[in-house]
Amino acid sequence: MTSSHTDCHFCLQSLRGRKYALREENAYCVPCYDSLYANPCEECKQPIECNSKDLAYKGRHWHEGCFRCAKCSRSLVEKPFAAKDEVLLCTECYSDEYSSKCFHCQKTIMPGSRKMEFKGSSWHESCFICQYCRQPLGTKPLITKDNENYCVPCFEKQFAHHCYSCKKVITSGGVTYHDQPWHKECFVCAGCKTQLSGQRFISKDEYPYCVDCFSRFYAKKCAACKKPITALGGAKYMSFEERQWHGECFNCAKCSVSLVGQEFLTRRDDILCHECGSA
């Protein structure tokens, strides 16, 4: 019976003059075949009969007329589509719902097209370019300024400062001194070459000096203690007839009372309070 195809393999009714379907070399009348083997449609839940086209995707089945975008209902037959949480969408609806927007042009980055990721944002490959030379950045090193991306050579040409000392580009950090940019490692004492970034220093003839070097080369000496007077931090000092004193050293040579803001007398190299000088 299986080879003659004269009777339905299931109900044994004659197939003469009737449509029938074959499955594993067995013939079935259409009603028996549909009841036994027809797949239910994912959309309408009705069986997909043998005289209908059965469209399958990942083990699921649809009538040709039911194979549509879940959002806009356009047919997906022979059209590109995408699946999200088992829901089928045309590429346009999928892009509107789920695709990234280009940071530069704000247009959708279509599924399947190449995109660039940088700092949590996405770009079309054609939009991810140097703002100055307009060349693709791809995976090249880049620098961002005001939300615009630049290749390193263009950024240096347009924006980077050059160190006042070595004339090379300052790519990050740096120190400003007399309105001029310096590398931190180039900003050193003009005397001993110690780095001054973050340290106290004193300017002399447009050059920076550490406190020790300035004191050694330029600071006046206190007439009392003979130590340099640097006036750092706004420290007070007194001056009289080409002599200088630290504020705390400007005392009466006899009774040691402070003479800051007081009348005083001189006797040879000594300074005296009014009482000691009049005695």
Side-chain angles (χ1 to χ4, degrees):
M1 184 188 301
T2 58
S3 61
S4 63
H5 299 163
T6 57
D7 298 323
C8 172
H9 184 69
F10 185 73
C11 70
L12 304 180
Q13 296 293 316
S14 175
L15 296 176
R16 293 183 185 277
R18 300 172 64 189
K19 290 183 178 180
Y20 64 90
L22 290 174
R23 183 180 177 89
E24 297 177 354
E25 298 185 359
N26 295 321
Y28 297 83
C29 65
V30 171
C32 286
Y33 183 88
D34 288 342
S35 65
L36 291 171
Y37 302 114
N39 294 305
C41 175
E42 286 287 327
E43 179 62 25
C44 70
K45 310 305 179 185
Q46 298 300 312
I48 304 172
E49 299 170 341
C50 64
N51 59 355
S52 300
K53 184 178 285 189
D54 184 333
L55 299 179
Y57 174 71
K58 290 189 175 180
R60 297 185 293 158
H61 301 264
W62 289 262
H63 288 104
E64 185 176 14
C66 294
F67 196 60
R68 297 178 177 276
C69 172
K71 185 176 181 183
C72 69
S73 298
R74 284 184 290 183
S75 174
L76 299 177
V77 177
E78 297 183 359
K79 301 284 180 59
F81 64 90
K84 179 69 174 178
D85 300 329
E86 298 188 352
V87 175
L88 302 185
L89 299 167
C90 64
T91 53
E92 290 81 0
C93 290
Y94 183 89
S95 298
D96 289 342
E97 288 290 321
Y98 303 110
S99 291
S100 303
K101 297 292 191 297
C102 176
F103 184 84
H104 179 74
C105 69
Q106 295 302 308
K107 294 181 180 179
T108 298
I109 301 175
M110 299 297 288
S113 62
R114 189 175 182 187
K115 69 177 180 179
M116 309 302 295
E117 298 281 349
F118 179 64
K119 289 187 176 180
S121 298
S122 302
W123 279 262
H124 292 108
E125 186 177 19
S126 58
C127 291
F128 195 60
I129 59 176
C130 171
Q131 184 65 20
Y132 184 72
C133 69
R134 315 304 294 179
Q135 295 300 306
L137 289 169
T139 56
K140 298 177 184 176
L142 62 92
I143 300 174
T144 300
K145 178 178 173 63
D146 300 330
N147 289 329
E148 298 289 357
N149 299 320
Y150 298 85
C151 63
V152 174
C154 286
F155 182 86
E156 291 180 353
K157 185 186 301 181
Q158 289 293 105
F159 304 110
H161 296 294
H162 290 76
C163 177
Y164 182 78
S165 176
C166 71
K167 311 305 179 187
K168 294 180 180 179
V169 169
I170 300 173
T171 56
S172 63
V175 175
T176 300
Y177 173 67
H178 282 314
D179 296 325
Q180 297 292 343
W182 302 61
H183 289 113
K184 286 184 177 181
E185 58 270 22
C186 293
F187 189 61
V188 298
C189 171
C192 65
K193 307 304 179 184
T194 299
Q195 287 192 21
L196 296 177
S197 178
Q199 307 298 320
R200 294 195 302 174
F201 65 90
I202 302 172
S203 179
K204 174 68 175 177
D205 298 331
E206 298 188 359
Y207 290 99
Y209 290 85
C210 67
V211 174
D212 289 341
C213 286
F214 182 84
S215 300
R216 186 182 312 123
F217 299 141
Y218 301 108
K220 297 182 181 297
K221 300 297 189 296
C222 175
C225 70
K226 310 305 179 184
K227 294 180 180 179
I229 300 174
T230 62
L232 284 174
K236 292 182 179 180
Y237 70 96
M238 308 299 297
S239 180
F240 177 71
E241 292 183 350
E242 299 184 353
R243 289 187 295 165
Q244 287 79 32
W245 292 261
H246 293 109
E248 62 273 19
C249 294
F250 193 62
N251 302 323
C252 174
K254 187 172 182 181
C255 70
S256 299
V257 68
S258 175
L259 297 178
V260 177
Q262 306 296 320
E263 292 183 357
F264 63 90
L265 302 173
T266 61
R267 181 180 298 165
R268 293 184 294 278
D269 292 335
D270 294 333
I271 53 172
L272 302 169
C273 65
H274 193 271
E275 292 184 4
C276 292
S278 301

